[in-house]
Amino acid sequence: MLSPTPLSLFCALLFCLPLAVIITITSPTTTTTPAVPDGSQHNPFPDFVPAAKTHQRFSFKPPPLPLEDDKLLFQVASRVNSKPPTGSPKKIAFLFLTISPLPFAPLWELYFNQTPKNLFNIYVHADPTYLYDTPFSGVFAHRVIPSKPALRFTPTLISAARRLLAHALLHDPSNYMFALLSASCIPIHSFNFTYKTLTRSKKSFIEILSNEIGSYDRWAARGPDVMLPEIKLEDFRIGSRFWCLTRKHARLVVGDQMIWAKFDQPCVVWDTCYPEENYFPTLVHMRDPRGIVPATLTHVDWNGSSDGHPRMYMASEVGSQLIMQLRKDKPRYGDNGTNDSDSSVTQRRDPLLFARKFSPDSIQPLLSIASDVLFKD
């Protein structure tokens, strides 16, 4: 009987390591209380605990990915299967990008408790430089991924969204659609309505607008020639940073290097620098314009906007009339790569599923109408 040599053992370890990174497990880890960040810890949040799976279990824990190495994380995530496994239900990955303790967590708790747990996953990217006086609890407990600072007017907001996509891709192969949300977003339909809308679609929902006012200024915000030659002005797009991407497009985003290298440059003109509103629509437009519905399903009102922020609905405005009005509004359909010649896009009327921004003190009036209005379709 041959004994393995040290060299053969080393080679076997190198072969198995990528598999160990990709495979996730279902055994829970020890519950811990998140520490308040004081700048002395790299990551103040508890370890991310995988959600219960409906498919095969594994008996060992994979070695963690280096938290500092986004490049390796994205490389591994971009290689996962682009199709969910057969025999298990499709899942929606809800991606919360936040710098606050999620003021509408009680509302989301009601939303997610309407449905079986095997139809969704939750992931939270929480900027570790902010204080979280209230730990994430309930359905958000242990759903915080290893996070880094996410600042306006910088590409770090793009990085945070890509990080959420990468962890969701690696965590559960059944994740079919990936919805990006903020702390000020609320659902305006029931989970069942949202689930059917998203899982029945074979296309992503992402706003892609061309020839918008200020397009050149945004394109040249890093310098007049920085985007060239990869991204010409005619290929540059603008759109909401709140999208719902298919698994195919989630892999496209985390696997991208060429377009990302252009957006990962510091702006020299700050008042036209909104990278997160340009990177995703530009990338998808350049790579797969026919694979999307060019609209966001998150309602936002830019009338009365201030400092780059949309209108914020106050607690006194919340009621059944407001919710019904939000539902009646039609998404703005943009560029689908066909010069508006595709009637299947121009004649669509997809339902808006989420809305923003709502003031934190809106939580009580929202909870009071949750059962009879918000979650009643």
Side-chain angles (χ1 to χ4, degrees):
M1 180 172 165
L2 296 175
S3 299
T5 65
L7 178 60
S8 64
L9 287 174
F10 180 73
C11 293
L13 177 61
L14 289 179
F15 175 77
C16 294
L17 183 58
L19 296 177
V21 171
I22 294 175
I23 297 172
T24 54
I25 62 170
T26 60
S27 57
T29 60
T30 303
T31 301
T32 58
T33 301
V36 176
D38 59 3
S40 62
Q41 299 175 343
H42 175 74
N43 182 29
F45 302 105
D47 290 341
F48 180 78
V49 178
K53 301 288 185 66
T54 57
H55 46 276
Q56 182 179 1
R57 290 175 175 266
F58 297 90
S59 58
F60 63 92
K61 183 175 182 177
L65 288 166
L67 303 188
E68 304 84 0
D69 194 350
D70 278 346
K71 184 176 181 180
L72 175 59
L73 172 68
F74 297 151
Q75 285 178 348
V76 176
S78 68
R79 297 170 185 163
V80 300
N81 199 321
S82 61
K83 297 181 179 179
T86 57
S88 60
K90 296 176 181 177
K91 296 184 182 181
I92 300 176
F94 290 85
L95 316 177
F96 290 85
L97 203 168
T98 184
I99 58 173
S100 75
L102 299 177
F104 301 113
L107 182 66
W108 286 106
E109 191 91 25
L110 292 176
Y111 178 80
F112 290 120
N113 285 337
Q114 297 181 60
T115 188
K117 305 304 182 200
N118 66 339
L119 299 182
F120 68 92
N121 283 308
I122 298 171
Y123 308 89
V124 180
H125 186 287
D127 187 327
T129 62
Y130 286 80
L131 295 177
Y132 295 85
D133 296 328
T134 305
F136 297 94
S137 59
V139 295
F140 296 99
H142 310 297
R143 308 313 299 165
V144 178
I145 68 167
S147 306
K148 297 181 182 180
L151 307 173
R152 291 186 71 199
F153 313 117
T154 74
T156 57
L157 282 172
I158 302 175
S159 296
R162 297 180 80 207
R163 210 170 287 124
L164 281 164
L165 286 171
H167 279 276
L169 283 167
L170 288 169
H171 170 242
D172 195 335
S174 293
N175 283 333
Y176 175 78
M177 192 73 81
F178 302 74
L180 185 65
L181 301 161
S182 76
S184 62
C185 287
I186 68 164
I188 57 174
H189 281 284
S190 69
F191 178 92
N192 289 338
F193 183 93
T194 299
Y195 181 84
K196 291 177 181 178
T197 299
L198 294 180
T199 57
R200 287 174 179 175
S201 176
K202 295 182 179 180
K203 295 186 176 184
S204 295
F205 295 91
I206 176 171
E207 188 175 57
I208 299 182
L209 306 174
S210 60
N211 301 318
E212 291 290 286
I213 296 175
S215 290
Y216 174 79
D217 293 332
R218 289 193 181 206
W219 178 77
R222 295 153 194 82
D225 299 320
V226 171
M227 287 290 178
L228 296 173
E230 288 83 0
I231 307 173
K232 300 178 178 63
L233 177 59
E234 55 265 32
D235 292 325
F236 189 77
R237 294 294 183 269
I238 295 175
S240 169
R241 68 183 177 97
F242 298 101
W243 31 250
C244 297
L245 299 183
T246 61
R247 190 171 183 85
K248 172 186 175 182
H249 288 146
R251 290 178 68 239
L252 170 68
V253 169
V254 299
D256 169 56
Q257 296 183 38
M258 186 181 76
I259 306 301
W260 165 242
K262 294 297 182 177
F263 281 93
D264 190 25
Q265 302 293 324
C267 289
V268 295
V269 182
W270 292 98
D271 59 353
T272 58
C273 186
Y274 300 97
E276 71 281 1
E277 295 180 359
N278 301 128
Y279 170 72
F280 299 103
T282 298
L283 172 64
V284 176
H285 163 74
M286 293 181 66
R287 295 289 183 261
D288 188 23
R290 302 297 184 94
I292 57 97
V293 177
T296 177
L297 300 185
T298 298
H299 186 286
V300 64
D301 185 356
W302 287 104
N303 294 321
S305 61
S306 174
D307 191 27
H309 293 286
R311 172 190 174 185
M312 178 177 287
Y313 296 103
M314 308 309 292
S316 59
E317 300 177 79
V318 174
S320 60
Q321 185 175 357
L322 173 62
I323 301 305
M324 293 306 175
Q325 182 58 52
L326 297 180
R327 288 180 177 180
K328 288 179 181 179
D329 284 354
K330 179 182 179 181
R332 180 186 180 187
Y333 293 94
D335 179 13
N336 68 323
T338 61
N339 295 320
D340 295 328
S341 61
D342 187 350
S343 61
S344 65
V345 170
T346 58
Q347 296 179 11
R348 294 180 68 106
R349 189 176 179 87
D350 297 283
L352 292 159
L353 303 177
F354 313 105
R356 62 185 295 267
K357 299 176 64 171
F358 283 77
S359 63
D361 63 347
S362 299
I363 182 60
Q364 290 305 323
L366 285 169
L367 287 173
S368 69
I369 63 171
S371 298
D372 295 332
V373 180
L374 283 172
F375 305 150
K376 188 174 182 180
D377 302 312

